[in-house]
Amino acid sequence: MDNQATTRLPLITFLDVEASGLLQPDSYPIEIGWADTLGNSDTLLIHPCDTWSHWDRHAEALHGITRSQLLEEGIPVAEAAHRLNEMLGVETVYCDALEYDGFWLSRLFEAAGVERSFTLADVHQLHDVLGAERAALLRDIVREMPTPHRAREDAARYAEACREALGRIY
């Protein structure tokens, strides 16, 4: 896609969270990644709070992140919350698992004592933003892409599909 086409694309940001466990109420965020339609992205490994001890080996097998990796490379929850607010501002940010990603982000921001500046929305709400044809095309493109189960890569998958869907119709 050429630069002129890229500059016409709307800014749409996607976020994904990897967690210490799947579907457990005591699970917590371990990696948060985001990517937007302009090609920007980032990922944060989260150093667990002292009270966050739950660890599910099945989740680890899925995302490939070890608890020792978090303890060595992760950033404190307060730093992660502030960086997310700085990077995402007051945008609406889309995720494909709103209930879970919202739960884990709430755990992070609550533990950090920081109010989240951005709004979360479900990717299905893009129907209102993109229109029916583009939203359906986005879903079809994403369905055909591999799911890496890493936060930035999962968010980037949606951003890439969105760029492709917008590019085909513009």
Side-chain angles (χ1 to χ4, degrees):
M1 183 178 297
D2 65 22
N3 287 341
Q4 187 177 16
T6 302
T7 58
R8 290 185 296 174
L9 291 177
L11 174 64
I12 300 173
T13 303
F14 299 89
L15 180 139
D16 189 64
V17 180
E18 300 299 333
S20 67
L22 307 172
L23 310 175
Q24 288 92 355
D26 53 351
S27 63
Y28 51 88
I30 63 168
E31 182 185 46
I32 301 171
W34 64 271
D36 66 31
T37 51
L38 302 181
N40 303 302
S41 67
D42 200 5
T43 190
L44 308 171
L45 284 178
I46 312 299
H47 189 283
C49 294
D50 292 339
T51 58
W52 292 355
S53 60
H54 174 79
W55 193 257
D56 182 337
R57 295 280 178 206
H58 297 292
E60 180 182 328
L62 190 62
H63 51 61
I65 302 167
T66 65
R67 185 161 167 86
S68 61
Q69 183 180 1
L70 297 175
L71 296 173
E72 293 172 20
E73 301 172 27
I75 62 174
V77 294
E79 182 180 339
H82 287 292
R83 283 183 55 188
L84 286 168
N85 277 346
E86 288 171 12
M87 292 183 291
L88 302 175
V90 295
E91 291 181 53
T92 296
V93 178
Y94 296 90
C95 49
D96 67 347
L98 181 61
E99 182 179 349
Y100 299 108
D101 293 341
F103 169 76
W104 290 316
L105 281 175
S106 293
R107 291 212 68 192
L108 174 84
F109 279 87
E110 183 178 306
V114 174
E115 187 175 334
R116 190 174 70 219
S117 65
F118 55 94
T119 302
L120 286 180
D122 190 281
V123 292
H124 292 81
Q125 291 174 281
L126 281 171
H127 184 276
D128 296 337
V129 175
L130 300 175
E133 185 180 0
R134 289 183 187 123
L137 185 54
L138 169 68
R139 283 190 300 275
D140 291 345
I141 294 167
V142 166
R143 226 178 272 129
E144 294 178 14
M145 299 173 97
T147 305
H149 296 293
R150 287 300 300 261
R152 179 187 356 214
E153 290 78 4
D154 284 344
R157 178 174 70 115
Y158 273 90
E160 180 183 333
C162 191
R163 281 192 304 272
E164 188 176 333
L166 288 166
R168 285 187 191 177
I169 295 172
Y170 270 155

